Amino acid sequence: KTLNEVFAKRDVALVVAMASDKEHEGVIRGLAQTEACRAVIFTAVHIAGAAARSAPVEELRSIGVEAVRSRGGAAPDLVKGAASMEEAICLARSCVGEEG
């Protein structure tokens, strides 16, 4: 099933962290097409125990802004960066509520 099918009747905030060696643009563009998506929050996490392997938040956020704009969304309102996973989850909840 696609994200659109799974979350057809809910507002969703996506929390995204990626390894630096992954294909960021394609993944983020795909996520941005999720119709239920009300926000995308990018953050960094340790990957295989090392922060150095995590893609920089601002780099991911920049790609996210362009992806949301390309679908006609208001990127500054939908795309945010967070310094930690905890902050990202708080931001996500503030965008769509506890059940999102």
Side-chain angles (χ1 to χ4, degrees):
K1 290 188 170 190
T2 68
L3 290 173
N4 285 327
E5 292 170 330
V6 172
F7 297 111
K9 297 180 182 185
R10 298 175 72 170
D11 289 342
V12 176
L14 301 173
V15 175
V16 180
M18 296 180 73
S20 59
D21 63 344
K22 300 305 175 202
E23 207 286 289
H24 306 134
E25 191 168 334
V27 171
I28 293 169
R29 286 195 179 282
L31 291 173
Q33 298 306 312
T34 304
E35 293 169 14
C37 182
R38 299 297 170 251
V40 184
I41 293 84
F42 293 99
T43 192
V45 296
H46 286 197
I47 298 182
R53 290 201 54 223
S54 189
V57 172
E58 191 51 39
E59 179 182 319
L60 297 175
R61 195 188 78 72
S62 177
I63 296 168
V65 166
E66 290 306 314
V68 170
R69 280 187 179 144
S70 73
R71 77 167 203 193
D77 297 334
L78 295 175
V79 182
K80 303 176 185 305
S84 67
M85 183 59 76
E86 292 79 16
E87 181 185 346
I89 291 169
C90 285
L91 280 169
R93 287 183 175 146
S94 72
C95 292
V96 296
E98 291 290 324
E99 299 300 317

